Amino acid sequence: MTKKNPNLTAEQKLILFEEGTETPGSSELNYEKRDGFYHCVNCDAKLFESKTKYESGSGWPSFYDSLKDVFETKTDHHLGYARTEYHCKSCGGHHGHIFDDGPAPTGKRFCNNGACLVFKSK
Ligand SMILES: [Zn+2]
């Protein structure tokens, strides 16, 4: 059951509920380096801790791990090949894709739309 936060922008709705993607490099969170947590912009669930964020060069905020049990995944074929999409477990909102080219210790890259995240410093 998807609950929509009434304060979302058109871009946020497109990403969260229609699996859209923001323009690379468009999110100010690419440059966020403070200690804190990244929350879901739709439901405020805590999703990532700042220590797992790294600069992937992709133009999207990237993390090598999420907090435990906050996402569900499914395979999509929107670009003609299989990709692992992940969405917020509490609200169902789409956040990004997981790739296998991340750094140690997980080797994963959570490629997250910055428009779907709210950073809260510690
Ligand atoms: Zn959520």
Side-chain angles (χ1 to χ4, degrees):
M1 172 81 183
T2 302
K3 276 188 291 188
K4 295 187 188 182
N5 182 325
N7 300 318
L8 295 174
T9 65
E11 183 192 33
Q12 288 168 331
K13 286 183 199 161
L14 185 72
I15 298 167
L16 289 162
F17 308 116
E18 295 174 49
E19 299 190 11
T21 302
E22 72 193 11
T23 309
S26 65
S27 172
E28 291 186 5
L29 291 182
N30 280 309
Y31 312 106
E32 181 58 67
K33 295 192 191 318
R34 289 173 291 167
D35 277 348
F37 290 96
Y38 293 83
H39 295 245
C40 177
V41 72
N42 187 42
C43 73
D44 202 38
K46 210 185 263 188
L47 302 175
F48 295 104
E49 193 175 355
S50 55
K51 68 178 185 188
T52 63
K53 187 174 188 287
Y54 72 102
E55 182 47 66
S56 68
S58 66
W60 289 283
S62 302
F63 303 84
Y64 62 75
D65 205 0
S66 69
L67 295 175
K68 267 196 175 41
D69 217 22
V70 295
F71 290 126
E72 287 177 335
T73 62
K74 70 178 199 287
T75 302
D76 78 42
H77 294 86
H78 292 170
L79 296 183
Y81 56 90
R83 291 187 304 170
T84 303
E85 173 277 347
Y86 62 91
H87 51 274
C88 174
K89 203 169 174 176
S90 13
C91 73
H94 167 81
H95 274 259
H97 290 86
I98 306 176
F99 300 93
D100 288 325
D101 57 9
T106 63
K108 302 285 183 200
R109 170 167 59 101
F110 288 73
C111 185
N112 211 102
N113 288 283
C116 301
L117 295 172
V118 175
F119 176 73
K120 297 182 185 178
S121 64
K122 275 180 188 167

